[in-house]
Amino acid sequence: MKPGDELPPLTVPITRTLIVAGAVASRDYQDVHHDAELAREKGSPDIFMNILTTNGLVGRYITDHFGPRAILRKVAIRLGAPNHPGDTMVLTGTVTEIDGDTAHVRVVGANGLGHHVTGTVTVEVPR
């Protein structure tokens, strides 16, 4: 692996179940993550994914690629366009730096509205 290498994309269907289960699993009980009617009352067209679920999906994307020995050392992400049920998010990654056993990867997760998540992940893969 070297700087400039691209990771294969990961396509994630955004289902209502994924959004609600991710929110509940991360103990995020904000109504906008599980109650469509209340989300609409607050100005959203539907429920939307929380940052903790997105963070988990980004981590999964990296560890699926780098393998079972991969250790996430840093995940720095920023949310953009919301993930709503019925959409699809495609995660892509580009290696920006290699330092010994450590890789730095630029990650983007795009959906039908634009970039849902952007950021960088530092992953160590012990030899």
Side-chain angles (χ1 to χ4, degrees), residues 41-116:
E41 284 179 17
K42 293 181 177 182
S44 178
D46 205 337
I47 62 171
F48 53 90
M49 185 175 284
N50 72 358
I51 193 168
L52 299 169
T53 303
T54 300
N55 194 70
L57 290 169
V58 168
R60 169 198 165 192
Y61 176 56
I62 297 298
T63 58
D64 279 1
H65 178 75
F66 285 94
R69 292 187 353 250
I71 302 166
L72 298 175
R73 293 296 182 193
K74 181 177 181 183
V75 178
I77 60 172
R78 168 171 271 169
L79 292 184
N83 270 339
H84 292 290
D87 206 345
T88 300
M89 178 176 64
V90 178
L91 288 162
T92 56
T94 304
V95 176
T96 59
E97 183 183 346
I98 297 288
D99 182 17
D101 292 346
T102 302
H104 302 269
V105 182
R106 173 87 176 135
V107 176
V108 174
N111 63 28
L113 296 174
H115 288 170
H116 169 67

Side-chain angles (χ1 to χ4, degrees), residues 8-36:
L10 174 66
T11 300
V12 181
I14 306 302
T15 65
R16 190 167 301 280
T17 301
L18 174 62
I19 293 170
V20 173
V24 171
S26 61
R27 294 183 174 188
D28 183 344
Y29 303 114
Q30 289 288 320
D31 51 22
V32 294
H33 302 307
H34 64 83
D35 188 318

